[in-house]
Amino acid sequence: MIIFSVFIVATIDNTTAQTPDDFSIQLKLIPSTVESGTTQQVVGYVGIIDKNGILAKPSDQVKINLESDNPLVASVPESITLSENTSYQKFQIDTGKTGIAKITAKLNDQVVSKDFRVGETVGNLPSDSKLHILLPTDQIHVNGEMPLSVFFTKDEIPLEVPKDITISFEYENELLKLQQKKITIEKGTVYGINIITALEETGTAFIRASAQDKKFDVVNNVKVSSVNPSSIKTYVYPDRIAQETERNIEIFVTLRDSEGFPAIATENVPLDIISDNIALSIAIDEAMKNNRPMIKKGEFGYHLTPEYIFPNKPHNYTISVSSSDYGLDSQIFDIVIPLTADDPKAEDKILRLFVPPELPRGAKSLMAYQITAIEDDDDDPPGQRDLNDDEDEDDEEITVRTIDDLSELDEDDEQLGPDNLFPVQADTNYSIMKSALETSSDNLRVTSSNTKIVKIEDPGEIVDNYILPHSSYGKAIISTGQQTGEVTLSTSLKGLAVGSTTVKVVNPVEPIDTKIFSPTGQTLVFDRTGKVELFVLPIDPSDRPTNSETGLKYILLPINEIVTVAPQKNFANIILLNKDLAKSNQTEITVTPIGVGSDSNLESTSSFDMISSSSKLNISVPFEKISSDKQQIPLVISLTDSFGNPITLSENVEISVESSGNDIIETQNQVTLIAGESFVETLFTVVGNSGESEITINSNAFDSTSTTITVGEEEKFEKRLSIFVDYPLDPMEVNVPSEITINIDDQDLNVIESARVRLIAQEGSSVFPTSVRTDEDGKVSVLFTPGNSPTSTLTIQATKEGYLDDEEVAEFSTIGGDSMGGDLSMMLLIPAAIMMAIVAVIVILVMRKRRRPEEEYEEYEEEI
């Protein structure tokens, strides 16, 4: 058998010898529930208290009988004797099987009972709880991993589960794999973690979590994408060329992944290239006859230059490129009337650069540069419509044929674009002198702002087309390295024009940001040991968890902990202690990359609300009022879940104890709840002074809690006021003022002088005055006029400094008006005997009210 202890507390005045009949017994079991098989002693108290609820010491021995109604659960000794001038004793409870036993203490004809439980109360989730699936992001890369959490909330607050709850998962098994098909949110915890792994296919996958036969059910989605090529993108450079003078166009076909990022071919990608014009299609076929068009494995694009002199019609052409498994893409370009470099409309010139806006690492690409003139609407012919007019007209779309068809740069536009620039034929050759032996004019420059990111492999040239005038454009070949970032590409033609554009080299899986993921969302829920878990995930440009070949290292602020995401891993977790965070309801967590070559762009900050475990520390005393003589009184600190069940932890819990007045009581500064135990007993010392003291306990893991102790002599304790109304023997007439006398006493029936009495009549009735003080006899008299109803009520409130307030609602019978239907003759029909009986009942009720404070200490039975 396991032995427990219960304390008995005797409460008798020190100065006057009194018998047990002058007091009441009070039984408390602290704690009242113990876990099965516990080895701790449960501490309970049987107190003998006076009519003011004050702990006292008996002047003689007091024998208290004990019994249990279920000895198989908890057995107690037959009796215990409280010695003279002893505040309390304890007796043992031997525990047995799981169940509930009623422990009873008897003193003469007084009986007090309390329930004592062995074993836990099995709690259930609230019926309005909600189950949640939480992901760091709804995007994931093929073969990528990330954590997933499941938890319950009530009113949006994460819940500690009262018992083990199994969560079952269903998911799109062609796209995803979960580490476990079932996980358990363990009793007393808030969430469970599973790991998602994306498979080789792309698409949108569902994840369903359910519990308790799908009583709780939730679905979430995650998109699986890839950096492998999934589509083609076609460019035609330039997008406007002059009729009958230009001989070539440049067709450049590239690959894109499912998110639209540039991609490198993972296999040979055959291409079919056609035009909507038969003559141009023949020229394309001629250009491809010795070399089947194909983006080769490991390359970014395919470049084709068909030779064709474009006539004045049609005014535009479409190039379409298709490939099995990669789809089709088309591009339109226009044929315009030539504009020479010395034309007055070509006075303002600029070079326009053509290049894919994003390039992959380790790839080659085509770049074109074209001489263009800037449109100025001031030199347009009268009535000329341009592209801006087309936005407001219902007429046919304007086909650009001359520079006057374009629109002038609008003030709101940030830079010149296709709507403002018109191709201009060169007036001479432009090239770079590659050696001293060449006769090149060396009047062309093509540069990169960062050659580690983009390098100019071949600057190209603008030359005459044999018997044709000079072309308007040239083409260059550029290459990218392994470094990512933005680069400015610039081209200049000596003495003619300059131009530049920005190109970005991207790595679709390169970390560009960092997510801080809490399994319970933006609310950090500290567990019973004061710990909380966070995950740190590097994120790529598509908001997918990603990794680094060399790993990533962060410092986590404000706790200055190092977090390392290992090479080829998508996340890392870290445990935080709430003692390391500021005492607040909110906090900011920052992760900052550290180490050689760290990228400051990966720094990230997230704000979180913070709440403690819903389990709680409890502070209990057997009584709240004690005399001021020096003595030590037990104080019990226990740990329970939200259902009141005792909790034991696997590690010690340090608890600080503070009191608001050390001149009244003294407490230990620190108490340790030992691992494996659910409560601890300590003592506080009564110093000897009177007053109130609040005892507060704190720990890192749980919210603080407190209790108030009142210390002092009996007469210094506040007594409660009592209101007594002298009810009239006869019913009151409606709408007729009647005098009512009200008596104010304390709980010992002592009259109270100068107490404030406030009166509130029900609607339809009135009272005068509404506020008055009692005279030296503790009385007030007021005039009450009942309303037109069978009964009228008067609310009476009594207050005085140093006393506890009282409130009474007096109810008066009425006659006349609606109360008797206007017929007083009905009263005459009531037999005299019945009227006398009514009067007698009223008198008895008044007498019982005045006797109540004396009698309430004679006998009672208290049960939990």
Side-chain angles (χ1 to χ4, degrees):
M1 285 243 176
I2 302 164
I3 298 176
F4 294 87
S5 299
V6 175
F7 287 88
I8 295 180
V9 182
T11 319
I12 294 186
D13 182 61
N14 294 326
T15 59
T16 305
Q18 303 180 46
T19 66
D21 291 335
D22 297 320
F23 301 94
S24 302
I25 56 175
Q26 177 176 301
L27 171 66
K28 282 193 178 180
L29 305 178
I30 307 172
S32 59
T33 301
V34 295
E35 59 272 27
S36 299
T38 183
T39 58
Q40 283 190 273
Q41 289 186 336
V42 62
V43 180
Y45 302 84
V46 175
I48 300 180
I49 58 175
D50 66 16
K51 58 187 177 182
N52 291 317
I54 305 169
L55 173 66
K57 298 176 181 179
S59 56
D60 297 308
Q61 289 187 348
V62 177
K63 182 179 179 181
I64 299 174
N65 295 315
L66 302 171
E67 66 178 37
S68 169
D69 72 342
N70 195 343
L72 293 178
V73 173
S75 60
V76 297
E78 293 183 356
S79 65
I80 190 170
T81 299
L82 196 63
S83 301
E84 177 183 349
N85 292 321
T86 302
S87 293
Y88 58 85
Q89 288 286 350
K90 61 182 178 181
F91 62 87
Q92 295 178 344
I93 300 178
D94 297 329
T95 62
K97 67 177 186 179
T98 299
I100 298 175
K102 180 177 290 186
I103 307 298
T104 300
K106 298 180 180 180
L107 176 62
N108 298 335
D109 57 352
Q110 298 181 44
V111 178
V112 179
S113 298
K114 295 280 188 178
D115 282 345
F116 181 78
R117 179 188 295 273
V118 177
E120 299 180 347
T121 301
V122 179
N124 293 306
L125 287 167
S127 59
D128 56 349
S129 303
K130 293 182 180 180
L131 178 62
H132 299 264
I133 296 177
L134 195 61
L135 302 168
T137 170
D138 60 0
Q139 305 285 329
I140 190 171
H141 186 274
V142 293
N143 299 319
E145 286 187 343
M146 67 177 171
L148 166 155
S149 66
V150 286
F151 60 98
F152 292 89
T153 63
K154 176 177 169 57
D155 300 328
E156 301 183 356
I157 302 298
L159 293 176
E160 282 186 4
V161 296
K163 57 185 177 182
D164 288 356
I165 295 183
T166 299
I167 306 294
S168 300
F169 291 95
E170 302 172 55
Y171 51 90
E172 194 77 48
N173 54 22
E174 293 183 357
L175 296 174
L176 298 176
K177 180 178 70 175
L178 266 63
Q179 191 176 74
Q180 302 175 75
K181 290 188 176 181
K182 291 184 178 182
I183 65 172
T184 298
I185 304 178
E186 296 180 352
K187 173 187 173 183
T189 64
V190 176
Y191 63 89
I193 293 289
N194 210 339
I195 304 298
I196 301 174
T197 301
L199 303 180
E200 296 287 342
E201 301 296 326
T202 61
T204 299
F206 78 90
I207 304 172
R208 165 174 279 144
S210 59
Q212 297 182 358
D213 296 327
K214 295 191 175 181
K215 176 183 177 182
F216 299 97
D217 187 75
V218 64
V219 176
N220 211 334
N221 294 326
V222 60
K223 183 179 179 181
V224 183
S225 55
S226 171
V227 296
N228 292 332
S230 62
S231 63
I232 57 175
K233 174 65 178 176
T234 302
Y235 299 95
V236 175
Y237 298 151
D239 56 6
R240 291 193 185 106
I241 58 174
Q243 66 185 35
E244 300 173 345
T245 58
E246 299 280 9
R247 189 180 186 89
N248 304 321
I249 57 169
E250 311 300 328
I251 301 173
F252 188 50
V253 186
T254 66
L255 293 170
R256 291 288 184 268
D257 67 17
S258 59
E259 297 299 298
F261 287 100
I264 300 294
T266 55
E267 61 183 358
N268 290 339
V269 181
L271 304 172
D272 290 321
I273 305 175
I274 62 173
S275 170
D276 61 346
N277 179 272
I278 294 178
L280 179 57
S281 293
I282 292 173
I284 291 172
D285 291 341
E286 181 67 21
M288 299 186 302
K289 68 179 182 180
N290 295 323
N291 186 12
R292 185 181 178 186
M294 176 187 300
I295 302 176
K296 295 181 180 180
K297 180 179 180 180
E299 294 185 354
F300 169 54
Y302 170 78
H303 176 212
L304 179 69
T305 305
E307 294 190 357
Y308 182 69
I309 300 175
F310 295 93
N312 64 343
K313 288 188 178 181
H315 295 159
N316 54 59
Y317 293 78
T318 299
I319 300 294
S320 297
V321 182
S322 62
S323 178
S324 177
D325 297 330
Y326 296 90
L328 178 146
D329 189 45
S330 299
Q331 189 72 32
I332 298 175
F333 63 99
D334 296 329
I335 307 302
V336 298
I337 297 173
L339 182 67
T340 60
D342 58 358
D343 192 298
K345 290 182 178 291
E347 181 178 358
D348 294 329
K349 301 180 185 67
I350 189 172
L351 286 178
R352 184 180 171 202
L353 274 61
F354 300 86
V355 66
E358 293 182 328
L359 300 173
R361 297 181 304 163
K364 288 188 176 182
S365 175
L366 174 71
M367 182 186 81
Y369 43 90
Q370 185 180 40
I371 307 168
T372 61
I374 303 173
E375 161 64 343
D376 183 356
D377 287 343
D378 291 342
D379 61 8
D380 288 355
Q384 174 70 40
R385 292 179 57 237
D386 59 29
L387 294 181
N388 276 344
D389 298 327
D390 183 54
E391 295 177 1
D392 302 322
E393 296 284 343
D394 294 331
D395 299 337
E396 294 183 3
E397 181 180 351
I398 293 177
T399 299
V400 175
R401 294 285 289 155
T402 70
I403 190 172
D404 293 330
D405 294 327
L406 299 179
S407 59
E408 189 176 74
L409 181 67
D410 190 83
E411 294 180 355
D412 296 332
D413 293 337
E414 295 182 359
Q415 59 184 13
L416 293 165
D419 291 349
N420 322 116
L421 301 176
F422 194 83
V424 175
Q425 308 306 119
D427 56 358
T428 186
N429 290 347
Y430 291 91
S431 62
I432 294 177
M433 186 171 61
K434 299 178 181 178
S435 71
L437 300 177
E438 293 185 4
T439 59
S440 170
S441 55
D442 195 29
N443 54 2
L444 168 68
R445 294 290 182 269
V446 181
T447 61
S448 166
S449 63
N450 190 331
T451 56
K452 292 182 179 179
I453 299 177
V454 177
K455 183 179 180 181
I456 309 300
E457 298 287 346
D458 182 357
E461 58 186 2
I462 299 178
V463 297
D464 60 38
N465 288 315
Y466 308 105
I467 63 173
L468 297 176
H470 289 82
S471 175
S472 65
Y473 78 93
K475 58 186 176 183
I477 302 299
I478 60 176
S479 64
T480 60
Q482 293 302 309
Q483 189 173 332
T484 60
E486 284 190 349
V487 172
T488 298
L489 301 177
S490 302
T491 304
S492 63
L493 304 180
K494 187 175 182 180
L496 186 69
V498 298
S500 64
T501 191
T502 299
V503 64
K504 187 174 184 180
V505 178
V506 298
N507 176 4
V509 294
E510 179 184 26
I512 64 165
D513 198 2
T514 305
K515 280 187 182 293
I516 304 170
F517 173 64
S518 162
T520 50
Q522 295 309 117
T523 300
L524 300 183
V525 183
F526 291 90
D527 66 16
R528 294 169 176 175
T529 60
K531 298 175 182 177
V532 71
E533 183 178 25
L534 289 177
F535 291 83
V536 176
L537 301 93
I539 298 297
D540 72 15
S542 297
D543 202 36
R544 301 172 297 201
T546 189
N547 56 58
S548 170
E549 294 178 358
T550 58
L552 293 168
K553 188 178 291 186
Y554 300 86
I555 185 168
L556 190 145
L557 302 174
I559 65 172
N560 298 324
E561 287 287 336
I562 303 298
V563 184
T564 300
V565 181
Q568 307 304 321
K569 293 294 183 180
N570 289 5
F571 61 88
N573 70 325
I574 184 171
I575 303 298
L576 279 65
L577 301 177
N578 60 1
K579 68 178 182 180
D580 296 329
L581 300 171
K583 294 289 185 180
S584 175
N585 294 328
Q586 290 186 324
T587 190
E588 281 192 348
I589 304 294
T590 298
V591 287
T592 301
I594 56 175
V596 177
S598 57
D599 184 359
S600 62
N601 292 322
L602 298 183
E603 180 176 307
S604 178
T605 299
S606 294
S607 296
F608 297 95
D609 295 328
M610 296 193 298
I611 61 175
S612 298
S613 166
S614 60
S615 299
K616 58 183 179 179
L617 286 173
N618 308 282
I619 180 171
S620 303
V621 292
F623 37 81
E624 288 76 33
K625 292 182 178 182
I626 54 180
S627 60
S628 59
D629 57 323
K630 294 183 180 181
Q631 55 186 312
Q632 287 190 319
I633 304 298
L635 177 72
V636 178
I637 300 171
S638 60
L639 181 59
T640 61
D641 64 17
S642 56
F643 295 91
N645 295 314
I647 295 172
T648 59
L649 300 180
S650 58
E651 53 190 78
N652 293 350
V653 178
E654 298 298 327
I655 303 166
S656 64
V657 184
E658 299 175 351
S659 61
S660 61
N662 289 333
D663 59 336
I664 300 173
I665 64 172
E666 292 179 349
T667 62
Q668 292 181 247
N669 294 328
Q670 195 83 10
V671 175
T672 301
L673 180 59
I674 303 299
E677 297 184 356
S678 62
F679 65 91
V680 60
E681 178 189 298
T682 184
L683 298 171
F684 68 87
T685 302
V686 179
V687 176
N689 297 317
S690 300
E692 283 190 347
S693 180
E694 184 176 43
I695 303 176
T696 302
I697 56 174
N698 289 280
S699 78
N700 290 322
F702 304 97
D703 291 334
S704 62
T705 187
S706 63
T707 189
T708 299
I709 304 297
T710 305
V711 178
E713 302 300 332
E714 177 181 346
E715 60 270 14
K716 295 184 179 180
F717 289 107
E718 289 186 345
K719 297 181 179 181
R720 181 173 297 280
L721 297 175
S722 294
I723 300 171
F724 304 100
V725 180
D726 290 341
Y727 287 90
L729 296 179
D730 298 322
M732 303 175 67
E733 290 192 43
V734 299
N735 300 321
V736 176
S738 298
E739 185 177 19
I740 301 295
T741 300
I742 301 167
N743 304 275
I744 306 299
D745 298 341
D746 66 12
Q747 62 194 41
D748 297 326
L749 299 182
N750 300 310
V751 298
I752 303 299
E753 182 181 359
S754 298
R756 172 70 69 181
V757 180
R758 293 179 173 85
L759 303 109
I760 305 169
Q762 76 173 42
E763 185 176 356
S765 301
S766 63
V767 64
F768 178 83
T770 57
S771 180
V772 63
R773 289 190 181 274
T774 56
D775 59 20
E776 61 184 6
D777 295 323
K779 297 177 179 291
V780 297
S781 294
V782 298
L783 290 177
F784 177 61
T785 305
N788 191 22
S789 61
T791 60
S792 291
T793 60
L794 178 64
T795 300
I796 307 165
Q797 298 171 343
T799 60
K800 184 174 182 178
E801 186 176 355
Y803 291 84
L804 301 176
D805 300 345
D806 192 22
E807 180 175 310
E808 181 83 13
V809 178
E811 185 174 291
F812 303 93
S813 298
T814 62
I815 58 173
D818 293 340
S819 64
M820 297 297 292
D823 188 358
L824 296 177
S825 63
M826 291 298 295
M827 291 295 295
L828 302 177
L829 299 178
I830 301 176
I834 295 178
M835 291 297 294
M836 292 297 292
I838 294 174
V839 172
V841 169
I842 294 174
V843 171
I844 291 171
L845 290 176
V846 172
M847 293 299 293
R848 290 189 64 187
K849 177 174 181 61
R850 300 183 70 90
R851 293 177 59 233
R852 184 180 58 194
E854 293 180 319
E855 295 176 346
E856 65 180 351
Y857 297 98
E858 292 183 1
E859 178 178 345
Y860 67 89
E861 180 175 355
E862 179 184 26
E863 296 186 8
I864 292 181

